[in-house]
Amino acid sequence: QVHLVESGGGLVQAGGSLRLSCAASGFTFNTYAMGWFRQAPEKEREFVAAMGWDGGRIFIADSVEGRFTISRDNAENTVYLQMNSLKPEDTAVYYCNVASRPGIYPGDYWGQGTQVTVSL
């Protein structure tokens, strides 16, 4: 059974940084792409970043390009999202996702999400 657990969210001032983690289990982690999506209040869930099974084929949304970095540790079955220069518009629940290939379209499995709130 696929299990994804996000952590690392919180409240941060604009300009600050956070590092999200997603611990994965229940599948062969090093053969799947991983991604991050987010959903702000009253908005649809949107793509943030994705990475291939080997750390290649990285996709980053234009809205976070240059500020967010996705990485993974296949030995630890964990994917990360380093978020720098945070803005109030980054406020959202951030979700981890596993997919057969990296890209802006999610796979079928989601974590429970972690809240990120950026204040002025």
Side-chain angles (χ1 to χ4, degrees):
Q1 182 178 356
V2 175
H3 197 47
L4 303 170
V5 180
E6 301 95 335
S7 61
L11 174 64
V12 64
Q13 287 189 325
S17 298
L18 284 174
R19 189 194 196 202
L20 306 184
S21 300
C22 172
S25 61
F27 63 100
T28 307
F29 183 79
N30 62 5
T31 64
Y32 282 87
M34 297 298 296
W36 289 95
F37 292 73
R38 68 185 182 185
Q39 188 166 17
E42 300 182 358
K43 291 188 177 181
E44 293 192 356
R45 194 169 298 187
E46 65 175 4
F47 168 77
V48 176
M51 170 178 276
W53 65 269
D54 59 353
R57 294 179 295 159
I58 294 173
F59 296 80
I60 301 288
D62 290 343
S63 58
V64 304
E65 176 76 49
R67 300 188 296 120
F68 290 14
T69 303
I70 186 171
S71 62
R72 64 189 295 163
D73 185 339
N74 284 347
E76 296 292 331
N77 286 6
T78 301
V79 62
Y80 303 98
L81 186 68
Q82 178 66 44
M83 306 187 296
N84 299 328
S85 302
L86 283 160
K87 304 176 180 180
E89 51 263 44
D90 295 319
T91 294
V93 178
Y94 284 71
Y95 297 91
C96 178
N97 181 264
V98 57
S100 58
R101 54 186 176 183
I104 65 172
Y105 300 105
D108 294 334
Y109 297 98
W110 299 93
Q112 84 289 347
T114 186
Q115 176 71 48
V116 171
T117 303
V118 184
S119 63
L120 290 170

